[in-house]
Amino acid sequence: MTAVLNTNTGLLVLGSYMNSYCDIAVDLRQNFGVTYFENLANVKKWNCPLPNLKEVSIDIGIDKFSADDFFKLIATKFDLSVATIPLNCSKFEMLIGDHGLLEQIRIMFTELHHQHLLCRNCGMENLFKNMGLSFDEISKFLSAKTTSDMLLALPISSGNPSVADTDVALYACKLILTRAALLTSVCLTSVMQRINRNQISIIINSLFIQECPEYQRYIKSFISAFVPNKNVKFLFCNNSSCALGAALTSCIAFNQKRENPKNYLMELESRFQESNKLFSVQSFMKLLEIPDIYTEAVKLAYNYLNDLQYGVPLSVVWAFNFLNENYEEAEKIFKVHPVSLSSINSIICLKILSTENVGVKLIFIVKCIFPNQK
């Protein structure tokens, strides 16, 4: 089994496990991205080989917004001055991601301090370096219930801040978070409008949205204004490993389902209808070993030959009969279509290693195919 996983896809799978109405996953903490389930009918460029599949996961790159000229309409000189290299993200991701928000607040505090507008009688040296502000510090400040608690929570290294300092710091935080909430809501509602359901759950990996109730209310208020006909519920993920585990479990479950021979036969029939020659010799050989499926599989092999001029499936049928010493049936197939030994040599060689008679008979067949070869 081969499984292709990433954090965003895993997060979406985890959300679907937690809530059947979860169609969107948002990661603003580690691997920036928005992933959602799209109706397969809307994906025109992909011919899905699974006939019963109705939806597919689409991963939207948030970083693409930075390359858009519209980004320049909302970006300020302050935004452009915030370095994104230490954050390993794009400019737009910096505006809404957890690390980007922390860096914006840090730089804003630093600039206000240098202009003697914030904590002018205090030391803030700890904010002068990149990533010098932690989420715990900001969370403690934003969640403070009293003025005295806010004074204690200000990220200063020395001195005694004033009540005015808390007002300035709180205003700066709300300014940055309000814009971030608006931009996040725009991203989410643009995806929500593609989902034909009123009740939508969104799983989110973001400390700011999860731990800051007021910031979460900002986002929900904007969403309600943009799509008033949608009811949204937030789910939260604290551990990305859980998300990857959920994705892996889902892939294993799908693989087990595919191992059901009838499901694989249906998959092959769907490929045939789409003129898709993607084919596994070993898997088709296993289908032929099942008496209830043998007749349908042989019929499909002839269809491949007659309609698509693709003879590998019928060569596998020949090999199956030949290896099981049903030489009469193998000869009938051989008369209809030349056998492609190169495509089935692996299964024949395995049989030769275990049965000497098959090897002798195969030599005779090869001489019939290539009479001029010694």
Side-chain angles (χ1 to χ4, degrees):
M1 180 187 71
T2 301
V4 181
L5 308 174
N6 67 14
T7 303
N8 298 332
T9 303
L11 188 62
L12 182 59
V13 173
L14 177 61
S16 299
Y17 172 77
M18 295 170 63
N19 187 303
S20 59
Y21 291 105
C22 184
D23 285 294
I24 304 174
V26 184
D27 192 342
L28 301 177
R29 185 177 178 183
Q30 294 174 326
N31 297 281
F32 298 101
V34 177
T35 308
Y36 73 102
F37 285 124
E38 176 66 89
N39 189 322
L40 194 57
N42 297 329
V43 185
K44 305 298 183 182
K45 295 184 178 180
W46 183 47
N47 293 323
C48 179
L50 304 177
N52 297 324
L53 192 64
K54 303 300 180 184
E55 294 180 322
V56 63
S57 171
I58 303 292
D59 194 341
I60 302 174
I62 295 180
D63 60 304
K64 302 300 186 296
F65 287 92
S66 296
D68 199 319
D69 290 338
F70 288 108
F71 174 75
K72 298 178 182 178
L73 298 177
I74 62 174
T76 64
K77 290 183 179 180
F78 168 76
D79 297 326
L80 298 176
S81 68
V82 179
T84 57
I85 294 178
L87 308 177
N88 191 28
C89 69
S90 68
K91 284 292 184 181
F92 188 81
E93 291 169 339
M94 177 269 297
L95 297 180
I96 63 176
D98 284 0
H99 296 305
L101 292 175
L102 286 173
E103 193 67 357
Q104 288 182 74
I105 294 172
R106 181 191 72 82
I107 293 177
M108 180 71 78
F109 280 5
T110 303
E111 290 295 321
L112 292 172
H113 178 68
H114 287 161
Q115 296 178 29
H116 303 292
L117 298 174
L118 176 65
C119 301
R120 60 185 300 176
N121 298 319
C122 305
M124 303 188 77
E125 293 81 4
N126 54 315
L127 298 184
F128 294 167
K129 58 183 180 179
N130 289 335
M131 310 302 292
L133 184 64
S134 70
F135 175 78
D136 288 339
E137 290 175 304
I138 287 299
S139 177
K140 186 177 179 181
F141 175 72
L142 293 175
S143 61
K145 302 298 183 182
T146 64
T147 302
S148 59
D149 289 339
M150 294 179 70
L151 289 169
L152 292 173
L154 276 172
I156 60 175
S157 55
S158 62
N160 297 310
S162 65
V163 174
D165 291 328
T166 63
D167 293 337
V168 172
L170 186 60
Y171 180 81
C173 289
K174 287 187 175 182
L175 190 66
I176 292 172
L177 293 179
T178 301
R179 184 182 63 171
L182 177 60
L183 295 176
T184 301
S185 303
V186 169
C187 288
L188 293 179
T189 53
S190 64
V191 177
M192 291 172 63
Q193 289 174 331
R194 301 188 63 84
I195 299 172
N196 188 25
R197 189 165 57 240
N198 293 332
Q199 182 67 42
I200 298 176
S201 294
I202 303 174
I203 186 168
I204 299 173
N205 186 19
S206 167
L207 287 175
F208 270 97
I209 300 177
Q210 181 174 358
E211 302 295 339
C212 300
E214 189 171 3
Y215 182 53
Q216 186 181 139
R217 285 195 296 271
Y218 290 162
I219 295 176
K220 287 187 175 181
S221 296
F222 286 130
I223 290 177
S224 297
F226 293 144
V227 282
N229 59 322
K230 303 283 188 181
N231 296 318
V232 64
K233 178 181 180 181
F234 287 169
L235 311 172
F236 294 102
C237 170
N238 296 320
N239 190 337
S240 60
S241 298
C242 294
L244 286 174
L248 181 59
T249 302
S250 176
C251 289
I252 292 173
F254 173 79
N255 183 67
Q256 290 176 339
K257 179 180 179 182
R258 186 182 177 187
E259 286 181 350
N260 185 321
K262 291 186 178 180
N263 288 337
Y264 182 60
L265 181 62
M266 290 176 59
E267 185 177 332
L268 282 180
E269 290 172 343
S270 177
R271 292 180 191 173
F272 166 74
Q273 294 296 332
E274 297 171 356
S275 301
N276 185 342
K277 296 181 181 179
L278 183 63
F279 184 84
S280 169
V281 170
Q282 297 288 349
S283 298
F284 195 68
M285 190 72 169
K286 291 181 180 179
L287 288 183
L288 296 171
E289 294 173 356
I290 304 173
D292 293 341
I293 295 180
Y294 176 83
T295 302
E296 293 181 67
V298 172
K299 181 180 178 181
L300 180 60
Y302 276 102
N303 289 339
Y304 268 109
L305 177 64
N306 297 329
D307 295 357
L308 303 183
Q309 289 73 54
Y310 185 56
V312 174
L314 196 59
S315 295
V316 178
V317 177
W318 174 87
F320 173 80
N321 285 282
F322 176 78
L323 296 176
N324 287 281
E325 300 185 6
N326 188 0
Y327 300 125
E328 183 178 348
E329 188 66 26
E331 187 176 357
K332 290 180 182 178
I333 297 172
F334 182 73
K335 290 180 179 180
V336 172
H337 180 71
V339 175
S340 174
L341 290 178
S342 61
S343 62
I344 57 175
N345 56 9
S346 60
I347 54 179
I348 291 179
C349 288
L350 288 174
K351 190 70 173 181
I352 289 175
L353 291 175
S354 59
T355 308
E356 182 178 353
N357 291 339
V358 173
V360 174
K361 189 70 176 179
L362 180 62
I363 293 174
F364 172 75
I365 294 293
V366 171
K367 287 183 178 180
C368 292
I369 299 174
F370 306 105
N372 297 325
Q373 299 293 327
K374 295 183 179 181

